[in-house]
Amino acid sequence: MLPDEYCQQKAAASGSSFYVSFRFLPADRRKAITALYAFCREVDDIVDDQTMDAAQARFKLDGWRKEIAEMEAGRPDHLITQALFPHLEAFNLDVNLLLAIIDGMEMDLDKVRYESFDDLKKYCWHVASAVGILAARIFGLTNPQTGEYAEKLGLAFQLTNIIRDVGEDIKIGRIYLPADELKEFGVTEDDLEKARYTPEFSELMDFQAKRALSLYDEAFALLPEEDRQSQRPGLMMASIYRELLLQIRKKDFPVLTEHVSLTKTKKLWLAWKAYVDE
């Protein structure tokens, strides 16, 4: 199998909203972002593999750190790094950001609770904002402020994921909702484990949703006008993710027992609308 084919299959199999926006890109940028996304999926799958113990997962993540070093030296071995390597210089892709993503994935092996939002933000930077910065470079940027936009948008995306996945995460022992906010709103870990839909839970989740929606607005305000057209794929993803968050909120956060998602048709419509609006 060719490297680009492997990455495309990896990305398509995820069914992610992100993959929807890739098809609107020119071929070189589409190949680069697909390779980046495949890399993210590959390292994330290591940590999420429940058949693997922490020591095995760390060993595999260390293997990826070595693979990134080999790629930087011009000797990529894995199909993903072979696909990514031609784009490093073309799109100014900093390998330190790739390593930061691996570090973020490893955090899931070390830490399954976060004391505060500031604590959570450090995790989100590694697993989402670093990805956003790399993606923005692939899409094309001329103003450094576009990197700030991408960083904040990545945080908004990750908070949306956290809200959507509360029930799924608790099943594998992870709680990303800040502990001090759980306490403030009167929600216990037992409430989450037992899937209790209390008024306190609704208030807590609405607080989380408002924060994420505010971050989307802050990100959009940071995007310089000269880069709006090139950053359309990110704005398309944002349109889909923001709508998902609004749907979860409209249903009063059934996330302890239900995986809320948008239909493929809805995603395509939102992506197209965001594309033509720009």
Side-chain angles (χ1 to χ4, degrees), residues 10-21:
K10 187 81 177 178
S14 72
S16 170
S17 303
F18 291 93
Y19 187 66
V20 173
S21 67

Side-chain angles (χ1 to χ4, degrees), residues 225-244:
E225 188 61 36
E226 61 265 34
D227 282 343
R228 289 191 69 84
Q229 186 168 3
S230 65
Q231 294 299 315
R232 282 186 296 186
L235 293 170
M236 292 156 68
M237 289 184 261
S239 176
I240 293 168
Y241 258 62
R242 191 175 182 279
E243 179 62 25
L244 172 63

